[in-house]
């Protein structure tokens, strides 16, 4: 009994010391809770290309990437859409994690709150947001790999964006609680009475054959009833060099994930050859996982040829860029994605073809939507209560051709993606528009949320949203008063 008591005391002391060290490492990043005087998005670029297109992808990426979700949540009780984005200072030097809301009653927005300075300009560190059943707002500050820490903040008061506190979150490793201070590509789902199921990515080394320093992107999920104490990390898949996943939820019945895989490559990154389309779902909050037809699978998946494979694009030599996952009225998944002939910007990689793949209850049906000119032209898919499908995405040519984004378009289908009708949302823009995001519990007055920015050189970036009718509003770049009306930049 004495040995057991001493052992527990030693564990508590060691855990306290470890946690203290972690907190000291994170003290350089302070919780700010500062009201900003405008809405300014982060500009970011990735992988210089050495040609006229300058980068593999770049632009105003305040709502990037497709593997982060959600950026906005509508709460009926207070009639507000709460949202976050990757912001920046007036000089555009650093990534600020911003929180605000759109008040549907007044049609106004307040000054946004700067929760923290992430001390990088990397938009992979953009935050995501969620709201629990008590009204507390949660901000998840992600990291691109393991070089920077991740954070979770919670609002001090329900439905209030003025003050956030840092939450000392734990995970279980070898039956012991340890600080949860690093995660990438987070997608947060909340269900009343169950808590959070968050899908994410962790970076592993010493796992790629004959390339010990190469990173594998392992996709996983973790759960917490209170948002503070998480259980173990549960790996979903680690095929070859890893994956990018995008998830969705059907009410409180289903949480699903769709992912590609990154093949082994020597001397270059497999993520530039991402391919194939996989799908899995859980109907019991992560206890078991199955394919769309109900076949239960064991996790993690480590084989290219697997029952979860929806579409084999590797044999066609095509890259796959997943945009969104949502569900029809029967709870069947619909995946929106783009294929191309390569990772480079410009016409060398061919048309970027947009597709939906829909599970009908018997099989998967793939249908074309349109085409665009960059792999990272990202949009969102909506299915309303009447079974009408909508897509909002930058599918029209923008001012910076073949760079990320373009002019925003709303596509509508009344026959489950067989035919589409097009409505232009923006035109004659100075900058490309990119990464149109669908809010959770979407309200028709705040239907899609995105940013703009120059596709080839650093620029300012403005935040926009559209209503379901196609009217587009720009959030105020500079604010004098405490609240302001967004600027209507078109009228349907």
């Amino acid at each position: 009994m004495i040995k057991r008591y001493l052992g527990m005391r030693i564990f508590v002391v060691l855990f306290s010391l470890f946690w203290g060290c972690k907190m000291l490492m994170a003290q350089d990043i302070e919780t700010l809770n500062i009201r900003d005087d405008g809405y300014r998005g982060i500009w970011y670029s990735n992988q210089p290309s050495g040609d006229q297109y300058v980068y593999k992808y770049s632009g105003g990426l305040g709502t990037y990437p497709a593997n982060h979700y959600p950026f906005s949540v509508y709460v009926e009780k207070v009639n507000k859409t709460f949202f976050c984005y990757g912001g920046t200072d007036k000089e555009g030097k650093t990534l600020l994690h911003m929180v605000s809301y759109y008040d549907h009653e007044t049609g106004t927005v307040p000054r946004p709150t700067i929760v923290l300075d992430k001390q990088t300009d990397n938009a992979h560190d953009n935050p995501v947001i969620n709201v629990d059943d008590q009204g507390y707002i949660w901000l998840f500050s992600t990291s691109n790999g393991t070089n920077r820490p991740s954070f979770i903040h919670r609002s001090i008061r329900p439905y209030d964006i003025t003050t956030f506190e840092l939450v000392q979150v734990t995970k279980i490793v070898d039956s012991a609680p340890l600080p949860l201070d690093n995660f990438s590509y987070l997608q947060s789902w909340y269900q009343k009475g169950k808590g959070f199921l968050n899908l994410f990515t962790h970076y592993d080394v010493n796992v790629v054959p004959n390339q010990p320093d190469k990173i594998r992107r392992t996709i996983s999920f973790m759960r917490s009833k209170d948002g503070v104490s998480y259980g173990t990390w549960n790996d979903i898949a680690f095929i070859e060099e890893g994956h990018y996943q995008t998830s969705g939820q059907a009410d409180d019945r289903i949480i699903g994930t769709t992912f590609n895989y990154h093949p082994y490559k020597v001397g270059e990154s497999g993520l530039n050859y991402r391919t194939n389309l996989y799908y899995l779902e859980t109907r019991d909050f992560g206890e078991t996982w199955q394919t769309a037809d109900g076949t239960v699978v064991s996790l993690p998946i480590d084989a290219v040829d697997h029952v979860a494979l929806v579409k084999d694009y590797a044999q066609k030599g095509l890259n796959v860029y997943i945009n969104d996952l949502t569900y029809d009225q029967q709870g069947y998944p619909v995946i929106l994605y783009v294929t191309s002939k390569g990772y480079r910007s410009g016409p060398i990689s061919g048309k970027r073809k947009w597709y939906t793949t829909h599970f009908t209850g018997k099989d998967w049906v793939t249908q074309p939507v349109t085409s665009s000119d960059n792999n990272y032209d990202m949009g969102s898919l909506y299915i309303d209560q009447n079974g009408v499908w909508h897509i909002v995405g930058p599918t029209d040519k923008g001012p910076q051709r073949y760079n990320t984004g373009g002019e925003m378009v709303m596509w509508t289908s009344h026959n489950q993606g067989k035919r589409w009708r097009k409505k232009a949302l923006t035109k004659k823009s100075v900058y490309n528009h990119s990464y149109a995001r669908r809010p959770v519990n979407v309200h028709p007055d705040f239907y899609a949320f995105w940013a703009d920015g120059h596709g080839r050189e650093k620029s300012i970036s403005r935040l926009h949203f559209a209503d379901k009718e196609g009217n587009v509003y720009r959030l105020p770049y500079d604010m004098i008063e405490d609240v302001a009306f967004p600027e209507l930049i078109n009228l349907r």
Side-chain angles (χ1 to χ4, degrees), residues 87-105:
T88 192
D89 57 355
K90 292 183 178 180
E91 293 75 32
K93 292 181 179 179
T94 190
L95 174 65
L96 303 176
H97 283 191
M98 313 293 298
V99 177
S100 190
Y101 60 82
Y102 175 73
D103 188 329
H104 292 266
E105 185 70 26

Side-chain angles (χ1 to χ4, degrees), residues 204-265:
D204 301 317
V205 293
N206 294 312
V207 290
V208 176
N210 304 313
Q211 300 180 80
D213 296 330
K214 177 170 272 194
I215 292 169
R216 183 184 71 196
R217 290 166 172 80
T218 303
I219 54 173
S220 304
F221 73 94
M222 55 183 170
R223 294 169 293 186
S224 173
K225 190 165 186 177
D226 61 6
V228 178
S229 301
Y230 282 83
T232 57
W233 285 5
N234 306 280
D235 291 343
I236 295 171
F238 48 68
I239 302 170
E240 299 196 9
E241 290 188 20
H243 313 267
Y244 288 130
Q245 68 175 339
T246 298
S247 57
Q249 180 172 259
D251 302 319
D252 284 348
R253 295 175 291 157
I254 304 167
I255 296 175
T257 179
T258 178
F259 49 96
N260 51 33
Y261 94 97
H262 309 162
Y264 286 140
K265 293 290 178 180

Side-chain angles (χ1 to χ4, degrees), residues 26-263:
Q27 280 179 0
D28 288 340
I29 296 185
E30 179 185 359
T31 303
L32 298 174
N33 291 321
I34 297 172
R35 303 306 292 274
D36 206 355
D37 60 358
Y39 290 79
R40 294 174 280 271
I42 190 72
W43 189 96
Y44 174 68
S45 63
N46 184 277
Q47 194 170 328
S49 56
D51 56 25
Q52 69 189 86
Y53 309 107
V54 190
Y55 302 106
K56 183 172 76 170
Y57 62 91
S58 51
L61 299 182
T63 57
Y64 165 91
N67 324 98
H68 285 195
Y69 194 81
F71 281 91
S72 48
V73 180
Y74 173 69
V75 181
E76 183 178 10
K77 183 176 181 180
V78 292
N79 201 21
K80 293 176 179 178
T81 295
F82 295 92
F83 60 88
C84 70
Y85 60 95
T88 192
D89 57 355
K90 292 183 178 180
E91 293 75 32
K93 292 181 179 179
T94 190
L95 174 65
L96 303 176
H97 283 191
M98 313 293 298
V99 177
S100 190
Y101 60 82
Y102 175 73
D103 188 329
H104 292 266
E105 185 70 26
T106 64
T108 61
V109 293
R111 292 174 181 251
T113 298
I114 306 171
V115 177
L116 61 84
D117 179 348
K118 203 59 164 58
Q119 299 182 12
T120 180
D121 63 355
N122 189 336
H124 289 91
D125 283 34
N126 278 344
V128 299
I129 195 171
N130 216 327
V131 182
D132 67 23
D133 61 348
Q134 300 298 310
Y136 290 98
I137 304 163
W138 295 76
L139 189 73
F140 302 86
S141 297
T142 65
S143 298
N144 184 207
T146 58
N147 291 330
R148 291 180 297 278
S150 303
F151 305 93
I152 298 177
H153 285 79
R154 179 180 55 201
S155 62
I156 295 292
R157 293 172 291 277
Y159 311 116
D160 183 85
I161 68 165
T162 57
T163 311
F164 287 79
E165 61 180 351
L166 179 65
V167 182
Q168 295 186 356
V169 187
T170 61
K171 62 180 178 179
I172 299 298
V173 179
D174 296 331
S175 302
L178 293 177
L180 173 55
D181 58 3
N182 185 260
F183 45 81
S184 301
Y185 299 111
L186 189 85
Q187 298 147 58
S188 179
W189 300 101
Y190 182 83
Q191 294 184 4
K192 185 176 181 179
K194 297 178 181 178
F196 295 92
L197 190 154
N198 295 339
L199 297 101
F200 68 102
T201 298
H202 60 88
Y203 284 45
D204 301 317
V205 293
N206 294 312
V207 290
V208 176
N210 304 313
Q211 300 180 80
D213 296 330
K214 177 170 272 194
I215 292 169
R216 183 184 71 196
R217 290 166 172 80
T218 303
I219 54 173
S220 304
F221 73 94
M222 55 183 170
R223 294 169 293 186
S224 173
K225 190 165 186 177
D226 61 6
V228 178
S229 301
Y230 282 83
T232 57
W233 285 5
N234 306 280
D235 291 343
I236 295 171
F238 48 68
I239 302 170
E240 299 196 9
E241 290 188 20
H243 313 267
Y244 288 130
Q245 68 175 339
T246 298
S247 57
Q249 180 172 259
D251 302 319
D252 284 348
R253 295 175 291 157
I254 304 167
I255 296 175
T257 179
T258 178
F259 49 96
N260 51 33
Y261 94 97
H262 309 162

Side-chain angles (χ1 to χ4, degrees), residues 235-467:
D235 291 343
I236 295 171
F238 48 68
I239 302 170
E240 299 196 9
E241 290 188 20
H243 313 267
Y244 288 130
Q245 68 175 339
T246 298
S247 57
Q249 180 172 259
D251 302 319
D252 284 348
R253 295 175 291 157
I254 304 167
I255 296 175
T257 179
T258 178
F259 49 96
N260 51 33
Y261 94 97
H262 309 162
Y264 286 140
K265 293 290 178 180
V266 177
E268 55 184 329
S269 179
L271 66 85
N272 280 336
Y273 301 88
R274 65 193 74 178
T275 190
N276 282 3
L277 191 67
Y278 298 85
Y279 175 82
L280 288 173
E281 65 183 35
T282 178
R283 293 172 177 257
D284 53 16
F285 209 65
E287 292 298 317
T288 59
W289 291 79
Q290 62 186 43
T291 60
D293 66 5
T295 303
V296 176
V297 302
S298 297
L299 300 183
I301 296 171
D302 62 1
V304 173
D305 187 13
H306 190 275
V307 68
L309 179 62
V310 172
K311 197 84 173 174
D312 187 344
Y313 283 103
Q315 65 176 350
K316 299 179 181 181
L318 293 176
N319 283 13
V320 175
Y321 298 81
I322 301 172
N323 280 357
D324 201 7
L325 167 65
T326 193
Y327 293 84
D328 66 15
Q329 299 95 319
Q330 288 74 44
Y332 295 142
V334 188
I335 306 168
L336 175 67
Y337 59 99
V338 174
T339 66
S340 79
K341 296 179 180 179
Y343 70 89
R344 295 177 178 85
S345 293
I348 190 173
S349 297
K351 287 185 177 181
R352 280 58 174 197
K353 297 181 179 180
W354 291 54
Y355 293 96
T356 61
T357 291
H358 177 207
F359 185 70
T360 64
K362 294 183 178 179
D363 51 21
W364 291 92
V365 175
T366 298
Q367 298 179 115
V369 180
T370 185
S371 63
S372 61
D373 61 14
N374 188 272
N375 295 330
Y376 297 86
D377 293 338
M378 186 271 172
S380 291
L381 174 64
Y382 307 69
I383 300 178
D384 67 21
Q385 66 273 17
N386 298 316
V388 179
W389 293 16
H390 298 280
I391 293 172
V392 179
T395 58
D396 271 1
K397 298 173 184 177
Q400 292 87 47
R401 287 287 312 278
Y402 292 106
N403 287 96
T404 305
E407 297 289 8
M408 244 357 133
V409 174
M410 180 181 291
W411 296 86
T412 301
S413 174
H414 292 272
N415 50 16
Q416 298 184 334
K418 293 182 179 68
R419 291 184 302 276
W420 293 90
R421 187 182 73 249
K422 174 182 173 182
K423 178 194 292 185
L425 300 185
T426 63
K427 59 183 179 179
K428 297 181 180 179
S429 300
V430 176
Y431 301 134
N432 285 359
H433 299 259
S434 61
Y435 283 86
R437 311 311 299 267
R438 181 186 73 246
V440 171
N441 306 322
V442 60
H443 188 287
D445 291 345
F446 194 103
Y447 198 64
F449 178 46
W450 73 84
D452 71 0
H454 199 288
R456 300 180 187 177
E457 61 187 39
K458 191 168 184 178
S459 72
I460 64 170
S461 174
R462 291 84 57 90
L463 281 302
H464 301 76
F465 68 92
D467 63 25

